[in-house]
Amino acid sequence: MTIIQFTNVNKYYGDFHVLKDINLTIQSGEVVVILGPSGSGKSTLLRCINRLEDISSGELIVDGFKVHDKNTNINLLRQEIGMVFQHFYLYPHKTVLENITLAPIKVRKMNPEEARKGAMELLTKVGIPEKANAYPSQLSGGQQQRVAIARGLAMKPKIMLFDEPTSALDPEMIGEVLDVMRTLAKEGMTMVCVTHEMGFAREVADRIIFMDEGRILEVGTPEEFFNNPKEERTKLFLSRIL
Ligand code: ADP
Ligand code: MG
């Protein structure tokens, strides 16, 4: 079942043509990794999915919602999508548990006790149940990012978007965050991930999308992409990072 569909999508920032004729269909349960050089439009593409950025032309349908249509109730769609950024954006004056339960209680109108129970389950899933009453500043970067993932999951989203979730972390903390993402992927979560972690991309992605200068240049399985890239630009990219 298709859950995300870009059809001839273009986006401009003023005069700057940042996304060029994007056609991309993502199936429910698929894990898609977006690779490409800095400035190629990866974050913009991701942010269009929950309309953190508006598209300029074309059609974008996500979980049945017409994202391109100004009349669409975008808040309903956003409840279905969790997003994790490079920086965690946790509320500094709220505990870990409060960070996770805030949206479910406010937005989903979940009963607070039920929300806390769900949050504890999620903290167990990301491996830090003992941090429930800690404040973000008392956690390592890797732990904070795992809380951010738990917070995203607390809304029971159908789609999780990850924008370089490990890029701001010290190397020894990258693995623990990738492990959580790997678990989510195995459980069948639909995931669109921008990352520079090639091991993760190779192992976990169902499909790799390679972007350059606002275009999708190449799409393939990890096997095809890493072992037999077709485009010169892809080969150059891979030669620089591998
Ligand atoms: P990536 O995530 O691949 O590094 P981005 O989507 O962040 O790429 O950015 C693509 C291009 O769009 C870059 O040249 C960037 O400078 C530009 N850009 C990003 N956000 C904005 C914005 N809000 N206004 C104008 N230009 C932007
Ligand atoms: Mg980016």
Side-chain angles (χ1 to χ4, degrees):
M1 196 191 83
T2 295
I3 190 160
I4 301 174
Q5 185 156 32
F6 287 78
T7 309
N8 302 326
V9 168
N10 287 276
K11 175 170 177 62
Y12 292 81
Y13 288 122
D15 291 338
F16 180 63
H17 197 176
V18 59
L19 294 180
K20 298 172 183 160
D21 206 29
I22 300 293
N23 286 284
L24 173 64
T25 302
I26 296 175
Q27 303 301 316
S28 189
E30 209 180 357
V31 178
V32 171
V33 167
I34 304 177
L35 302 178
S38 177
S40 56
K42 305 181 297 296
S43 294
T44 302
L45 183 129
L46 212 59
R47 293 164 62 84
C48 287
I49 294 173
N50 56 0
R51 215 204 270 165
L52 290 178
E53 299 289 352
D54 282 314
I55 67 173
S56 306
S57 68
E59 289 195 349
L60 173 54
I61 299 178
V62 179
D63 191 31
F65 290 86
K66 291 179 181 164
V67 179
H68 55 275
D69 183 343
K70 297 283 180 287
N71 296 320
T72 296
N73 184 340
I74 210 66
N75 290 326
L76 280 182
L77 172 66
R78 286 184 184 151
Q79 291 182 27
E80 309 297 334
I81 304 178
M83 186 157 188
V84 177
F85 303 87
Q86 182 172 348
H87 299 285
F88 328 115
Y89 305 116
L90 297 174
Y91 298 105
H93 303 300
K94 294 193 184 294
T95 65
V96 163
L97 204 69
E98 289 164 348
N99 265 279
I100 298 173
T101 55
L102 192 70
I105 293 171
K106 283 228 154 127
V107 182
R108 286 257 200 241
K109 311 287 180 212
M110 205 184 272
N111 150 320
E113 201 38 56
E114 191 189 333
R116 273 192 287 275
K117 191 162 160 274
M120 284 311 302
E121 283 167 16
L122 288 170
L123 280 175
T124 303
K125 182 186 190 105
V126 301
I128 42 173
E130 73 282 5
K131 299 294 183 189
N133 297 312
Y135 286 87
S137 62
Q138 298 170 311
L139 307 184
S140 72
Q143 291 170 335
Q144 289 184 56
Q145 192 59 303
R146 285 186 280 158
V147 173
I149 295 173
R151 183 178 57 177
L153 292 173
M155 292 290 282
K156 304 193 196 304
K158 292 187 185 161
I159 301 168
M160 286 289 287
L161 307 176
F162 292 90
D163 195 355
E164 300 197 27
T166 61
S167 293
L169 298 178
D170 291 334
E172 71 271 21
M173 292 170 189
I174 292 175
E176 65 197 42
V177 172
L178 294 179
D179 281 344
V180 171
M181 294 170 66
R182 202 175 278 121
T183 303
L184 277 183
K186 283 206 189 101
E187 291 173 356
M189 178 65 77
T190 305
M191 295 166 57
V192 188
C193 314
V194 176
T195 181
H196 298 294
E197 294 296 325
M198 295 302 143
F200 176 85
R202 198 187 267 268
E203 181 197 340
V204 181
D206 294 306
R207 263 191 310 162
I208 308 268
I209 309 276
F210 179 71
M211 291 187 68
D212 190 37
E213 297 183 0
R215 288 183 200 284
I216 294 178
L217 270 198
E218 187 154 354
V219 180
T221 64
E223 165 83 10
E224 290 163 348
F225 183 81
F226 288 107
N227 299 346
N228 193 16
K230 293 179 190 63
E231 300 290 332
E232 282 311 312
R233 189 65 193 81
T234 315
K235 291 177 192 167
L236 181 66
F237 176 79
L238 288 173
S239 73
R240 285 183 181 154
I241 54 160
L242 293 180

